[in-house]
Amino acid sequence: MPRFAVHLREVGAVPVLALTGELDHDTAPALRERLAEALARAGRAGRRPTVVVDCSELAFCDSTGLNVLLAARLQADGQGVVIRLAALRGHVVRMFDITGAGTVFSIHPDLDDALAAA
């Protein structure tokens, strides 16, 4: 079983990235690639473009993973796209709290809530 996986699907017109495992220096390039794809898809949406990142199965995130998400947020802002994070838990919540990154993202308790806000 891989240490990290990122799966991209669409729910309605909203690209949803589901993260599983450990997001770190070695696995961050996979997320970076899929985020770029999701942002391109969101840019074609008719309403306020949104990308949802489902973190319900994300067990770990280090500073490299956080930086990938922050860079994607900046890119998304420039494109008029909102990135919504769903279901942060455990160590990941702590990383966002300690760094203050939680203040720059739209964070939702679960995937359904994030999709409803899209």
Side-chain angles (χ1 to χ4, degrees):
M1 180 157 210
R3 196 164 54 92
F4 176 76
V6 54
H7 300 284
L8 175 59
R9 70 179 203 264
E10 290 190 11
V11 177
V14 178
V16 175
L17 290 163
L19 311 184
T20 304
E22 299 177 2
L23 176 57
D24 60 22
H25 176 76
D26 294 329
T27 60
L31 177 58
R32 187 178 295 112
E33 181 180 309
R34 298 302 270 187
L35 275 166
E37 185 179 343
L39 288 172
R41 287 184 186 190
R44 296 189 292 262
R47 59 178 196 263
R48 173 83 168 146
T50 301
V51 170
V52 174
V53 180
D54 179 3
C55 300
S56 61
E57 297 297 320
L58 184 63
F60 177 82
C61 179
D62 75 358
S63 61
T64 304
L66 179 60
N67 284 329
V68 168
L69 289 168
L70 289 168
R73 189 195 64 82
L74 288 175
Q75 181 182 355
D77 283 352
Q79 296 174 358
V81 176
V82 174
I83 294 180
R84 300 182 184 282
L85 303 180
L88 298 173
R89 61 186 184 91
H91 174 78
V92 179
V93 170
R94 182 144 170 76
M95 168 67 91
F96 275 74
D97 287 345
I98 289 170
T99 63
T103 63
V104 299
F105 284 99
S106 177
I107 297 179
H108 301 269
D110 57 42
L111 180 59
D112 290 339
D113 188 71
L115 289 169

